[in-house]
Amino acid sequence: MKNTLEKHAQDHQIIAIDGPAGSGKSTTARLVAQKLGFTYLDTGALYRAVTCVAIEKGVDLADEQALDVLIKATDFELRADGELTRVWADANEITEAIRSREVTSNVSLVSKHATVRQAMVSLQRDIASTGSFVVEGRDIGTVVFPNAVLKIFLIASVEARTGRRMLELQQKGVSVEFEKLREEIVARDEKDSGRAIAPLKKADDAIELDTTALTIDQQVEAIVQKYQALVI
């Protein structure tokens, strides 16, 4: 199996993992990539980076033209650092800043713009052209990589997703009420699913995986097994 996986890695294989906030995309995708010898690509980090820089520079998030100018004037870069994806905007590292609640609350406003998505999709495809990747996001299987060798769509109950995000914030020393966080996640779901361009939805040929009652290890193993079944 090792040789088979290495061969497919050389063939530039893409595994697409989509799903709503808190469904386990990031951790699962990162661990699947490690197990298969692929590279992990967090596409959401790019949209967060644009949002973060726009907020810092006082750009109107509803002004698509202004955001387009910002993107063209900024050098966004992702750098793999072990299990972490570090994010840079020009000479400034913004890895932690893009995970702020302000960015999280506003990223959907930025990502809904056509010019923003076009620029980010182009960058994502350029990055993934260099090897085999496990790519996670919200429109990977439907828009960015419609020909991915394997498409996974993760789902989970709102309560489970809220609990996961709450634990993540608590580990960072951020205190938040469960119900308030739940409302934010539901609002994010509505924005992502309701946008006119590249909405969050399951690709017709994607495999749906309910992670509500699964551990991260179980999620990872399920996806690895599905990939291995394709390449054996």
Side-chain angles (χ1 to χ4, degrees), residues 90-106:
D90 293 328
N92 303 310
E93 183 175 5
I94 55 175
T95 304
E96 292 297 327
I98 68 170
R99 302 297 172 183
S100 71
R101 290 187 68 190
E102 183 178 16
V103 170
T104 298
S105 297
N106 287 287

Side-chain angles (χ1 to χ4, degrees), residues 31-216:
L31 293 175
V32 168
Q34 288 179 5
K35 278 186 170 287
L36 296 178
F38 285 24
T39 302
Y40 164 61
L41 176 57
D42 175 8
T43 63
L46 291 170
Y47 291 103
R48 284 175 173 272
V50 174
T51 305
C52 181
V53 174
I55 291 173
E56 289 179 352
K57 295 189 175 183
V59 175
D60 183 354
L61 303 186
D63 189 335
E64 184 171 1
Q65 184 175 359
L67 289 170
D68 186 41
V69 171
L70 173 71
I71 291 171
K72 291 177 179 176
T74 307
D75 181 19
F76 292 102
E77 183 181 0
L78 300 184
R79 301 179 187 175
D81 181 13
E83 295 186 0
L84 181 66
T85 298
R86 295 194 176 279
V87 185
W88 297 73
D90 293 328
N92 303 310
E93 183 175 5
I94 55 175
T95 304
E96 292 297 327
I98 68 170
R99 302 297 172 183
S100 71
R101 290 187 68 190
E102 183 178 16
V103 170
T104 298
S105 297
N106 287 287
V107 66
S108 290
L109 299 177
V110 172
S111 63
K112 72 178 182 179
H113 295 301
T115 54
V116 173
R117 299 203 73 84
Q118 289 169 3
M120 295 299 100
V121 168
S122 178
L123 180 55
Q124 291 159 27
R125 288 173 176 165
D126 284 346
I127 293 172
S129 69
T130 62
S132 287
F133 285 77
V134 177
V135 188
E136 61 104 341
R138 286 170 170 75
D139 63 347
I140 307 306
T142 54
V143 175
V144 186
F145 296 108
N147 296 319
V149 66
L150 176 63
K151 300 178 186 179
I152 301 293
F153 191 82
L154 300 181
I155 62 170
S157 69
V158 174
E159 287 70 25
R161 292 189 286 131
T162 302
R164 293 169 184 171
R165 185 55 57 84
M166 190 169 187
L167 178 60
E168 179 183 308
L169 291 172
Q170 289 174 339
Q171 291 174 338
K172 295 180 179 179
V174 179
S175 178
V176 59
E177 295 181 2
F178 183 91
E179 191 55 36
K180 180 174 178 57
L181 186 57
R182 183 184 187 281
E183 291 174 358
E184 291 178 0
I185 288 177
V186 170
R188 177 74 188 275
D189 287 349
E190 292 175 350
K191 290 177 183 176
D192 289 339
S193 300
R195 65 182 177 231
I197 301 171
L200 167 67
K201 67 177 183 179
K202 174 179 172 290
D204 292 339
D205 55 346
I207 298 171
E208 185 173 277
L209 182 61
D210 189 338
T211 69
T212 301
L214 298 181
T215 65
I216 289 296

